[in-house]
Amino acid sequence: MTKRIILIIFCFGLFWQVLSAEQSDNQKPNILIIMADDCTHSDLPLYGGQNVKTPHIDQLASQGMTFNNAYVTMSMCVPCRAELYTGLQPVSSGVCWNHAIARTETKSIVHYLGDMDYRVGIAGKVHADPRSVYPFEMLKGVEGNCVSETAKYDSAGLKEFMAGDEEQPFCLVTALVVPHIPWTVGDLSHFNPKELKLPPYLADNKETRTEFAKYLAEVEVLDQQVGETLALLEELDIAENTIVIFTSEQGAQLPFCKWTNWNNGVHTGFVVRWPGKVESGVRSDALIQYNDVLPTLLDALGSKTKAEFDGSSFVSVLLGEKDSHRDYAYFMHNNVPEGPAYPIRSVTDGKYHYIRNLSPENLYIERHLMARMPLNKYWPSWVFDASDDPEILDLVTRYQKRPAEELYNLVDDPNEMKNLSNQKEVSGIQKKLSKELDKWLKEQGDPGAGLDTYEELQNARKGNHFKALND
């Protein structure tokens, strides 16, 4: 009798374990996306940065997969966020300029996950219009103004949203405003400008070192806020059932970074932690772009949507089933409204990066970086010092006067200091990438320089995307 009772108890316990496991497997994971704002990926220790410590970002990476080759299509806030939220590249969504709105028929992550019974909220910087395309639940507590001189962060609103309904999973975008200019927060005493190791694309003078130290102080604050956000998952005991994505967005508001197609502009930091699915502490060389993220999340959740995206799922990379994803990543830049028209298109295969400047006869001008004093004190010092410093003169010249074509070896020259364009030994590579770029422009319906006008931007803001071109 005793043995029979023991056997019944054992079988019941085994049945309960199996049932609990099935329920756990069927439970949809939460999603937490943490975005930096204008953080050059190569300044993070995770990608070789030597000037600032980011222990929380590093710890997250030790628990998941770090992507070495992740990119945005446009190195500007509004277009890259539209790409992330819609799975579409700029011409498809209509967001081909900074501060442009998406086509009203566009669907975003809010719609797709909402159809799967997810609560989808955003805290901090939004920079996504119109509201009908991005109907996020708006959360308070995180600074939303990227040009504020503060970086307010109160986790109470995030915690309340996360804990809101245990039966309904959530997707939360925590869009931080650091280290977007103005660089006014953080502890400057942690950084000695004279001892900083400046990247080679920055002019080495007092003003640059001073401003770079301020920027690094904000990167340190970024890491602190990442840590506070991740701690909420542990506090609520939901970390094991939450997919976490950290991304650094585009490069900082420094020459050769944001508002360019150069590597330090379009290359983004990207880490994914998915407990029980993604191996801890691994790195991937797979080529991915922001428009791949939404299809990947939907695939991970078992969505059966028939929506068409420009991107595609890299779940197989996350699960360790494949080492590669896309063959090429593509980039574009329309300088309007950040300055006079200066259209750029480019493509990379992960090793070589081919850039085509569509109006090389023009002088490149970015009014925020060059003219908005006192936010940018370094650029005037570059111009002044160029008079008697040939290295600084070369940087100023390279930034403003660009050739029709550029080609860089990203493996040997990640900061893209040596243009290999038209060199005999790489002529075949240049021709191949140029042909691939032409193919992409045709597939996207991208007319090139014709988009980079104030008329097209104004039409798009009215919802008449590409009206002048169609007329």
Side-chain angles (χ1 to χ4, degrees):
M1 184 69 177
T2 304
K3 291 183 178 180
R4 183 178 297 178
I5 293 174
I6 293 174
L7 181 61
I8 292 173
I9 294 173
F10 173 78
C11 292
F12 180 79
L14 184 62
F15 171 76
W16 182 255
Q17 287 180 350
V18 172
L19 181 62
S20 298
E22 289 180 350
Q23 288 176 336
S24 178
D25 289 341
N26 292 330
Q27 186 179 6
K28 294 176 183 175
N30 303 305
I31 300 167
L32 173 63
I33 301 174
I34 306 175
M35 295 185 71
D37 194 356
D38 290 5
C39 180
T40 305
H41 84 287
S42 56
D43 291 325
L44 297 173
L46 194 58
Y47 294 96
Q50 302 177 63
N51 294 298
V52 61
K53 295 180 180 180
T54 56
H56 298 105
I57 295 172
D58 295 348
Q59 182 181 21
L60 177 66
S62 73
Q63 300 165 342
M65 178 177 287
T66 299
F67 284 82
N68 297 325
N69 295 303
Y71 293 92
V72 300
T73 298
M74 295 187 76
S75 59
M76 295 187 288
C77 295
V78 175
C80 81
R81 288 164 194 256
E83 179 182 6
L84 182 69
Y85 300 150
T86 66
L88 302 175
Q89 289 174 318
V91 174
S92 298
S93 69
V95 188
C96 297
W97 312 263
N98 215 11
H99 306 296
I101 65 172
R103 290 187 175 92
T104 54
E105 68 271 19
T106 305
K107 288 188 175 182
S108 72
I109 188 172
V110 189
H111 299 101
Y112 293 112
L113 293 187
D115 289 343
M116 300 182 72
D117 201 32
Y118 271 75
R119 297 177 291 119
V120 187
I122 189 168
K125 177 175 175 176
V126 179
H127 264 46
D129 287 306
R131 176 74 172 153
S132 60
V133 174
Y134 310 99
F136 287 101
E137 180 179 340
M138 301 295 184
L139 309 181
K140 297 181 179 180
V142 178
E143 180 63 62
N145 180 6
C146 61
V147 294
S148 171
E149 294 188 357
T150 66
K152 179 179 63 175
Y153 180 93
D154 182 350
S155 64
L158 307 183
K159 182 179 179 181
E160 182 180 0
F161 178 79
M162 290 179 180
D165 186 344
E166 294 182 0
E167 300 301 319
Q168 189 179 21
F170 68 80
C171 173
L172 171 60
V173 179
T174 304
L176 308 174
V177 296
V178 279
H180 193 290
I181 207 165
W183 300 316
T184 53
V185 303
D187 191 340
L188 271 176
S189 68
H190 294 178
F191 305 92
N192 184 340
K194 294 180 181 180
E195 296 178 357
L196 297 177
K197 297 179 181 179
L198 290 183
Y201 56 83
L202 294 182
D204 192 349
N205 63 17
K206 179 181 178 181
E207 289 79 6
T208 303
R209 286 182 169 275
T210 299
E211 295 303 305
F212 197 60
K214 294 178 182 178
Y215 156 69
L216 293 172
E218 293 222 349
V219 175
E220 192 172 63
V221 173
L222 163 68
D223 183 71
Q224 294 164 359
Q225 293 185 352
V226 168
E228 290 182 56
T229 305
L230 293 174
L232 295 175
L233 301 179
E234 300 293 342
E235 184 179 344
L236 295 170
D237 195 24
I238 56 175
E240 292 302 307
N241 191 42
T242 301
I243 299 172
V244 176
I245 294 175
F246 166 78
T247 180
S248 63
E249 207 202 34
Q250 71 256 334
Q253 191 165 301
L254 289 162
F256 302 98
C257 297
K258 185 179 181 180
W259 296 307
T260 78
N261 273 34
W262 282 311
N263 188 45
N264 281 309
V266 295
H267 199 147
T268 186
F270 201 87
V271 178
V272 179
R273 184 181 76 185
W274 188 6
K277 298 288 187 177
V278 174
E279 187 178 350
S280 296
V282 296
R283 301 187 77 105
S284 173
D285 288 327
L287 202 60
I288 64 170
Q289 287 196 264
Y290 265 18
N291 59 85
D292 295 321
V293 176
L294 178 56
T296 299
L297 289 175
L298 294 177
D299 187 16
L301 301 177
S303 170
K304 303 300 181 183
T305 180
K306 296 182 179 180
E308 294 184 1
F309 300 105
D310 287 322
S312 59
S313 170
F314 54 86
V315 161
S316 58
V317 175
L318 292 174
L319 299 181
E321 299 168 353
K322 290 177 61 178
D323 295 326
S324 61
H325 181 54
R326 55 168 62 238
D327 295 325
Y328 301 97
Y330 309 92
F331 317 106
M332 66 182 294
H333 177 73
N334 289 325
N335 205 45
V336 169
E338 312 303 345
Y342 202 95
I344 312 168
R345 305 291 186 268
S346 66
V347 60
T348 184
D349 61 3
K351 180 177 181 180
Y352 287 95
H353 184 197
Y354 169 73
I355 302 176
R356 187 182 297 164
N357 297 301
L358 304 184
S359 300
E361 69 280 2
N362 294 345
L363 193 68
Y364 179 81
I365 298 173
E366 205 298 311
R367 59 185 179 182
H368 301 287
L369 187 148
M370 295 177 174
R372 289 189 68 181
M373 294 290 286
L375 293 185
N376 296 314
K377 298 179 180 179
Y378 48 84
W379 181 257
S381 75
W382 288 29
V383 175
F384 186 87
D385 290 349
S387 300
D388 51 18
D389 189 322
E391 292 185 3
I392 295 180
L393 174 60
D394 180 61
L395 290 174
V396 171
T397 303
R398 284 189 63 228
Y399 190 64
Q400 290 201 270
K401 191 63 178 175
R402 307 176 190 179
E405 295 179 293
E406 301 173 66
L407 181 69
Y408 300 98
N409 184 324
L410 297 178
V411 176
D412 299 335
D413 181 24
N415 291 306
E416 297 178 319
M417 302 302 293
K418 184 179 181 181
N419 183 9
L420 304 175
S421 179
N422 299 320
Q423 293 190 12
K424 185 177 180 179
E425 58 269 27
V426 291
S427 60
I429 295 169
Q430 183 169 341
K431 183 177 180 180
K432 178 183 178 181
L433 290 178
S434 177
K435 184 177 180 180
E436 182 61 33
L437 183 59
D438 287 336
K439 177 184 175 183
W440 179 64
L441 295 176
K442 184 176 180 180
E443 290 174 349
Q444 286 284 296
D446 181 353
L451 280 181
D452 201 3
T453 68
Y454 279 89
E455 181 181 10
E456 281 300 326
L457 173 59
Q458 291 304 321
N459 284 326
R461 285 175 171 171
K462 297 174 183 176
N464 302 318
H465 290 85
F466 318 137
K467 182 178 185 299
L469 295 177
N470 294 332
D471 289 347

Coordinates of all heavy atoms in Angstrom, one line a residue, residues 340-392:
P340 N 22.4 72.0 -46.6 CA 22.1 71.9 -48.1 C 22.2 70.5 -48.5 O 22.8 69.6 -47.9 CB 23.3 72.7 -48.7 CG 23.8 73.6 -47.5 CD 23.5 72.8 -46.3
A341 N 21.5 70.2 -49.6 CA 21.4 68.9 -50.2 C 22.8 68.2 -50.4 O 23.7 68.9 -50.9 CB 20.6 68.8 -51.5
Y342 N 22.9 67.0 -49.9 CA 24.2 66.2 -50.1 C 23.8 64.8 -50.0 O 24.1 64.1 -49.0 CB 25.3 66.6 -49.1 CG 26.6 66.3 -49.6 CD1 27.5 67.2 -50.2 CD2 27.1 65.0 -49.4 CE1 28.7 66.9 -50.7 CE2 28.4 64.6 -49.9 CZ 29.2 65.6 -50.5 OH 30.4 65.3 -51.0
P343 N 23.2 64.2 -51.0 CA 22.8 62.8 -51.0 C 23.9 61.8 -51.1 O 24.9 62.0 -51.9 CB 21.9 62.7 -52.2 CG 22.4 63.8 -53.2 CD 22.9 64.9 -52.3
I344 N 23.8 60.8 -50.3 CA 24.8 59.7 -50.3 C 24.1 58.3 -50.3 O 23.1 58.2 -49.6 CB 25.7 59.8 -49.0 CG1 26.2 61.2 -48.8 CG2 26.9 58.9 -49.1 CD1 26.8 61.5 -47.4
R345 N 24.7 57.4 -51.0 CA 24.2 56.0 -50.9 C 25.4 55.1 -50.8 O 26.5 55.4 -51.3 CB 23.4 55.6 -52.2 CG 22.2 56.5 -52.5 CD 21.1 56.4 -51.5 NE 20.0 57.2 -51.9 CZ 19.7 58.5 -51.6 NH1 20.6 59.1 -50.8 NH2 18.6 59.1 -51.9
S346 N 25.3 54.0 -50.1 CA 26.4 53.1 -49.9 C 26.0 51.6 -49.6 O 24.8 51.4 -49.3 CB 27.4 53.6 -48.9 OG 26.8 53.6 -47.6
V347 N 26.9 50.7 -49.7 CA 26.7 49.3 -49.4 C 27.9 48.7 -48.8 O 29.0 49.1 -49.1 CB 26.3 48.6 -50.7 CG1 27.4 48.7 -51.8 CG2 25.9 47.1 -50.5
T348 N 27.7 47.7 -48.0 CA 28.8 46.9 -47.5 C 28.5 45.4 -47.5 O 27.4 45.0 -47.4 CB 29.2 47.3 -46.0 OG1 30.4 46.6 -45.6 CG2 28.1 47.0 -45.1
D349 N 29.6 44.6 -47.7 CA 29.5 43.2 -47.6 C 30.0 42.7 -46.3 O 30.2 41.5 -46.1 CB 30.2 42.5 -48.8 CG 31.7 42.8 -48.8 OD1 32.2 43.5 -47.9 OD2 32.3 42.3 -49.8
G350 N 30.3 43.6 -45.4 CA 30.9 43.2 -44.1 C 32.3 43.4 -44.0 O 32.9 43.7 -42.9
K351 N 33.0 43.4 -45.2 CA 34.5 43.6 -45.2 C 34.8 44.9 -45.9 O 35.5 45.7 -45.4 CB 35.2 42.5 -45.9 CG 36.7 42.7 -46.0 CD 37.4 41.5 -46.6 CE 38.9 41.8 -46.6 NZ 39.7 40.6 -47.2
Y352 N 34.2 45.1 -47.1 CA 34.4 46.3 -47.8 C 33.2 47.2 -47.8 O 32.0 46.7 -47.8 CB 34.8 46.0 -49.3 CG 36.2 45.5 -49.4 CD1 36.4 44.1 -49.4 CD2 37.3 46.3 -49.5 CE1 37.7 43.6 -49.5 CE2 38.6 45.8 -49.6 CZ 38.8 44.5 -49.6 OH 40.1 44.0 -49.7
H353 N 33.4 48.5 -47.8 CA 32.3 49.5 -47.8 C 32.5 50.4 -48.9 O 33.5 51.1 -49.0 CB 32.3 50.3 -46.4 CG 31.2 51.2 -46.3 ND1 31.2 52.2 -45.4 CD2 30.0 51.3 -46.9 CE1 30.1 52.9 -45.4 NE2 29.3 52.4 -46.4
Y354 N 31.5 50.4 -49.8 CA 31.5 51.3 -51.0 C 30.5 52.4 -50.8 O 29.4 52.2 -50.5 CB 31.1 50.5 -52.3 CG 30.9 51.3 -53.5 CD1 31.9 51.9 -54.2 CD2 29.6 51.5 -54.0 CE1 31.7 52.7 -55.3 CE2 29.3 52.2 -55.1 CZ 30.4 52.8 -55.8 OH 30.1 53.6 -56.9
I355 N 31.0 53.6 -51.0 CA 30.2 54.9 -50.8 C 30.1 55.6 -52.1 O 31.2 55.8 -52.8 CB 30.8 55.8 -49.7 CG1 30.9 55.0 -48.4 CG2 30.0 57.0 -49.5 CD1 31.5 55.8 -47.2
R356 N 28.9 56.1 -52.4 CA 28.8 56.9 -53.6 C 28.2 58.3 -53.2 O 27.0 58.3 -52.7 CB 27.8 56.2 -54.6 CG 27.7 56.9 -56.0 CD 26.7 56.2 -56.9 NE 27.2 54.8 -57.2 CZ 26.4 53.9 -57.7 NH1 25.1 54.2 -57.9 NH2 26.9 52.7 -58.0
N357 N 28.9 59.3 -53.3 CA 28.5 60.7 -53.1 C 27.8 61.2 -54.4 O 28.5 61.4 -55.4 CB 29.6 61.6 -52.6 CG 30.2 61.1 -51.3 OD1 29.5 61.0 -50.3 ND2 31.5 60.7 -51.3
L358 N 26.5 61.5 -54.3 CA 25.8 61.8 -55.6 C 26.0 63.2 -56.0 O 25.7 63.5 -57.2 CB 24.3 61.5 -55.4 CG 24.0 60.0 -54.9 CD1 22.5 59.8 -54.8 CD2 24.6 59.0 -55.8
S359 N 26.4 64.1 -55.2 CA 26.7 65.5 -55.6 C 28.1 65.9 -55.1 O 28.2 66.8 -54.2 CB 25.6 66.4 -55.0 OG 24.3 66.0 -55.5
P360 N 29.1 65.3 -55.6 CA 30.5 65.5 -55.0 C 31.0 66.9 -55.4 O 31.9 67.4 -54.7 CB 31.3 64.5 -55.7 CG 30.6 64.2 -57.0 CD 29.1 64.3 -56.6
E361 N 30.3 67.6 -56.3 CA 30.7 69.0 -56.6 C 30.3 70.0 -55.5 O 30.8 71.1 -55.4 CB 30.1 69.4 -57.9 CG 28.5 69.6 -57.9 CD 27.7 68.3 -58.0 OE1 28.4 67.2 -58.1 OE2 26.5 68.4 -58.1
N362 N 29.4 69.5 -54.6 CA 28.9 70.4 -53.5 C 29.8 70.3 -52.3 O 30.5 69.3 -52.1 CB 27.5 70.0 -53.2 CG 26.5 70.3 -54.3 OD1 26.7 71.0 -55.2 ND2 25.3 69.7 -54.1
L363 N 29.7 71.3 -51.5 CA 30.4 71.3 -50.2 C 29.5 70.7 -49.2 O 28.3 71.2 -49.1 CB 30.8 72.7 -49.8 CG 31.8 72.9 -48.7 CD1 33.2 72.4 -49.1 CD2 31.9 74.4 -48.3
Y364 N 30.0 69.8 -48.4 CA 29.1 69.2 -47.3 C 29.0 70.1 -46.2 O 30.1 70.6 -45.6 CB 29.7 67.8 -46.9 CG 28.8 67.2 -45.8 CD1 27.6 66.6 -46.1 CD2 29.1 67.4 -44.4 CE1 26.8 66.1 -45.1 CE2 28.3 66.9 -43.4 CZ 27.2 66.2 -43.8 OH 26.4 65.7 -42.8
I365 N 27.8 70.4 -45.7 CA 27.6 71.3 -44.6 C 26.5 70.7 -43.7 O 25.4 70.4 -44.2 CB 27.1 72.7 -45.0 CG1 28.2 73.4 -45.9 CG2 26.8 73.6 -43.8 CD1 27.8 74.7 -46.5
E366 N 26.8 70.5 -42.5 CA 25.8 70.1 -41.5 C 25.6 71.2 -40.5 O 26.5 71.4 -39.7 CB 26.2 68.8 -40.8 CG 25.1 67.9 -40.3 CD 24.3 68.6 -39.2 OE1 24.9 69.1 -38.3 OE2 23.0 68.7 -39.3
R367 N 24.5 71.9 -40.5 CA 24.4 73.1 -39.7 C 24.4 72.9 -38.2 O 24.9 73.8 -37.5 CB 23.1 73.8 -40.1 CG 21.8 73.1 -39.9 CD 20.7 73.9 -40.4 NE 19.4 73.2 -40.3 CZ 18.2 73.7 -40.7 NH1 18.2 74.8 -41.3 NH2 17.1 73.0 -40.5
H368 N 23.9 71.8 -37.7 CA 24.0 71.6 -36.3 C 25.4 71.4 -35.8 O 25.8 71.9 -34.7 CB 23.1 70.4 -35.9 CG 21.7 70.5 -36.3 ND1 20.8 71.4 -35.7 CD2 21.0 69.9 -37.3 CE1 19.6 71.3 -36.2 NE2 19.7 70.4 -37.2
L369 N 26.1 70.6 -36.5 CA 27.5 70.3 -36.1 C 28.4 71.5 -36.3 O 29.3 71.7 -35.5 CB 28.0 69.1 -36.9 CG 29.3 68.5 -36.5 CD1 29.3 67.0 -36.7 CD2 30.4 69.1 -37.3
M370 N 28.2 72.2 -37.3 CA 29.1 73.3 -37.7 C 28.8 74.6 -37.2 O 29.7 75.5 -37.0 CB 29.3 73.3 -39.2 CG 29.8 72.1 -39.9 SD 29.9 72.3 -41.7 CE 30.7 70.8 -42.1
A371 N 27.5 74.9 -36.9 CA 27.1 76.3 -36.7 C 26.4 76.5 -35.4 O 26.3 77.7 -35.0 CB 26.2 76.8 -37.8
R372 N 25.9 75.5 -34.7 CA 25.1 75.7 -33.5 C 25.9 75.9 -32.3 O 26.1 75.0 -31.4 CB 24.1 74.6 -33.3 CG 23.0 74.6 -34.4 CD 21.9 73.6 -34.0 NE 21.2 74.0 -32.9 CZ 20.2 73.3 -32.3 NH1 19.8 72.1 -32.9 NH2 19.6 73.7 -31.3
M373 N 26.5 77.1 -32.1 CA 27.3 77.4 -30.9 C 26.2 77.7 -29.8 O 25.2 78.3 -30.1 CB 28.2 78.6 -31.2 CG 29.3 78.3 -32.2 SD 30.5 77.2 -31.5 CE 31.3 78.3 -30.3
P374 N 26.5 77.5 -28.5 CA 27.7 76.9 -28.0 C 27.7 75.4 -27.9 O 28.6 74.8 -27.3 CB 27.8 77.5 -26.6 CG 26.4 77.6 -26.2 CD 25.6 77.9 -27.4
L375 N 26.8 74.7 -28.6 CA 26.7 73.2 -28.4 C 28.0 72.6 -29.0 O 28.5 71.6 -28.5 CB 25.5 72.7 -29.1 CG 24.1 73.0 -28.5 CD1 23.0 72.3 -29.3 CD2 24.1 72.7 -27.1
N376 N 28.5 73.0 -30.1 CA 29.6 72.4 -30.8 C 30.8 73.4 -30.8 O 30.9 74.2 -31.8 CB 29.2 72.0 -32.2 CG 28.1 70.9 -32.2 OD1 28.2 70.0 -31.4 ND2 27.1 71.1 -33.0
K377 N 31.6 73.3 -29.8 CA 32.7 74.2 -29.8 C 34.0 73.7 -30.5 O 34.9 74.4 -30.7 CB 33.1 74.5 -28.3 CG 32.0 75.1 -27.5 CD 32.3 75.3 -26.0 CE 31.2 76.0 -25.3 NZ 31.5 76.1 -23.8
Y378 N 33.9 72.4 -30.9 CA 35.1 71.8 -31.5 C 35.3 72.2 -32.9 O 36.4 72.5 -33.4 CB 35.1 70.3 -31.3 CG 33.8 69.7 -31.7 CD1 33.5 69.4 -33.0 CD2 32.8 69.4 -30.7 CE1 32.3 68.8 -33.4 CE2 31.6 68.8 -31.1 CZ 31.4 68.5 -32.4 OH 30.2 68.0 -32.8
W379 N 34.2 72.3 -33.7 CA 34.4 72.5 -35.2 C 35.0 73.8 -35.5 O 36.0 73.9 -36.3 CB 33.0 72.4 -35.9 CG 33.2 72.6 -37.4 CD1 32.9 73.7 -38.1 CD2 33.7 71.7 -38.3 NE1 33.2 73.6 -39.4 CE2 33.7 72.3 -39.6 CE3 34.2 70.4 -38.2 CZ2 34.2 71.7 -40.7 CZ3 34.7 69.8 -39.4 CH2 34.6 70.4 -40.6
P380 N 34.6 74.9 -34.8 CA 35.3 76.2 -35.1 C 36.8 76.1 -34.8 O 37.7 76.7 -35.5 CB 34.6 77.2 -34.2 CG 33.3 76.7 -34.0 CD 33.5 75.2 -34.0
S381 N 37.2 75.3 -33.8 CA 38.6 75.2 -33.4 C 39.3 74.4 -34.5 O 40.5 74.6 -34.7 CB 38.7 74.5 -32.0 OG 38.4 73.1 -32.1
W382 N 38.6 73.4 -35.1 CA 39.2 72.7 -36.2 C 39.6 73.6 -37.4 O 40.7 73.6 -37.9 CB 38.3 71.6 -36.7 CG 38.1 70.4 -35.8 CD1 38.2 70.4 -34.5 CD2 37.8 69.1 -36.2 NE1 37.9 69.1 -34.0 CE2 37.6 68.3 -35.0 CE3 37.5 68.5 -37.5 CZ2 37.3 67.0 -35.1 CZ3 37.2 67.1 -37.5 CH2 37.1 66.4 -36.3
V383 N 38.6 74.4 -37.7 CA 38.8 75.4 -38.8 C 39.9 76.3 -38.5 O 40.8 76.6 -39.4 CB 37.5 76.1 -39.1 CG1 37.7 77.2 -40.2 CG2 36.4 75.2 -39.6
F384 N 40.0 76.8 -37.3 CA 41.0 77.8 -36.9 C 42.4 77.1 -36.9 O 43.3 77.6 -37.5 CB 40.7 78.3 -35.5 CG 41.7 79.4 -35.0 CD1 41.4 80.7 -35.3 CD2 42.8 79.1 -34.3 CE1 42.3 81.7 -34.9 CE2 43.7 80.1 -33.9 CZ 43.4 81.4 -34.2
D385 N 42.5 75.9 -36.4 CA 43.8 75.2 -36.3 C 44.2 74.6 -37.6 O 45.4 74.3 -37.8 CB 43.7 74.1 -35.3 CG 43.6 74.6 -33.8 OD1 43.8 75.8 -33.6 OD2 43.3 73.8 -32.9
A386 N 43.3 74.5 -38.6 CA 43.7 74.0 -39.9 C 44.7 74.9 -40.6 O 45.4 74.4 -41.5 CB 42.5 73.8 -40.8
S387 N 44.8 76.1 -40.2 CA 45.7 77.1 -40.8 C 47.2 76.7 -40.7 O 48.0 76.9 -41.6 CB 45.5 78.5 -40.2 OG 44.2 78.9 -40.4
D388 N 47.5 76.1 -39.6 CA 48.9 75.7 -39.4 C 49.1 74.2 -38.9 O 50.2 73.9 -38.4 CB 49.6 76.6 -38.3 CG 48.8 76.8 -37.0 OD1 47.9 75.9 -36.8 OD2 49.0 77.7 -36.3
D389 N 48.1 73.4 -39.1 CA 48.2 72.0 -38.7 C 47.7 71.2 -39.9 O 46.5 71.1 -40.2 CB 47.3 71.7 -37.5 CG 47.6 70.3 -37.0 OD1 47.7 69.3 -37.8 OD2 47.6 70.1 -35.7
P390 N 48.6 70.6 -40.7 CA 48.2 69.9 -41.9 C 47.3 68.7 -41.7 O 46.4 68.3 -42.5 CB 49.5 69.5 -42.5 CG 50.5 69.5 -41.4 CD 50.0 70.6 -40.5
E391 N 47.4 68.0 -40.5 CA 46.6 66.9 -40.2 C 45.1 67.3 -40.0 O 44.2 66.6 -40.4 CB 47.1 66.1 -39.0 CG 48.4 65.4 -39.2 CD 48.9 64.6 -38.1 OE1 48.1 64.5 -37.1 OE2 50.0 64.0 -38.1
I392 N 44.9 68.4 -39.3 CA 43.6 68.9 -39.0 C 43.0 69.5 -40.3 O 41.8 69.3 -40.6 CB 43.6 70.0 -37.9 CG1 44.0 69.4 -36.6 CG2 42.2 70.7 -37.8 CD1 44.1 70.3 -35.4

